[in-house]
Amino acid sequence: MILLENKMVLFNKLVFKEREKECQEKIQNEILKSQELLKEKEIEFQKKSQDLIDRRVSLAKEKKYEMIAQANESQRILRLEKNENLLARFIEDLFKAGEEFTKTDSYFDLQKNLFEKAIAGLEKGTYYLEIMAYDSAKDQLMAIAKKNNMQIILIDMDKSQIGGFKISDIEKTYKIDCSLKTKIEDSKYEIGKMFYFELEEVENWI
């Protein structure tokens, strides 16, 4: 009887040790799994954190470039507006210079030459001549017209035209515009190109 009990005790010990060993192995495996899972989560978290940092850095760079582009565009617009204002003032100065030019001998000669060229292809007949009432070359133009068998009806040209003259046929089907204002305005594009070129040269030099 005692021998049987001893055997039972021994058996139970062996079974207990085996179970204990299995439990230890399971516990160890679970610990390893937990450590691996924790490591994976740490890596995943680090990756997400880095992705978030990279994304924020990228957005910051994009915002920076956008702000720089906006600043450059604003500067370009301001520079363009400034240049356009300068050009407008320059054209106004040309108009004023034109008014002074009408008081010179060179203007008298210019009027004479322009008038001769303007009527060179015209037939004999009656024409309207718009010219300033006080234009120094008016009498000379009338003499040239008479010499070419042209009858002239004088019309006082508006002061806004600065100087020069305009010729139209009696039916007013066409008009030859040689006013100083028109000549300046027709040359505005070329004047603007030269003006902006000079401004750019000055800006580059500065």
Side-chain angles (χ1 to χ4, degrees), residues 173-185:
T173 56
Y174 65 85
K175 180 179 286 188
I176 301 172
D177 190 344
C178 293
S179 65
L180 291 183
K181 182 178 181 181
T182 297
K183 287 192 173 297
I184 292 173
E185 289 180 340

Side-chain angles (χ1 to χ4, degrees), residues 38-66:
L38 180 61
K39 188 175 181 180
E40 289 176 0
K41 291 296 182 182
E42 286 178 352
I43 293 172
E44 183 180 350
F45 177 75
Q46 290 175 356
K47 186 176 183 302
K48 286 183 178 179
S49 297
Q50 189 60 47
D51 288 344
L52 180 61
I53 292 171
D54 292 343
R55 188 158 59 250
R56 287 183 177 177
V57 170
S58 178
L59 288 173
K61 286 182 179 179
E62 288 179 7
K63 187 67 176 177
K64 175 185 174 183
Y65 295 143
E66 182 181 342

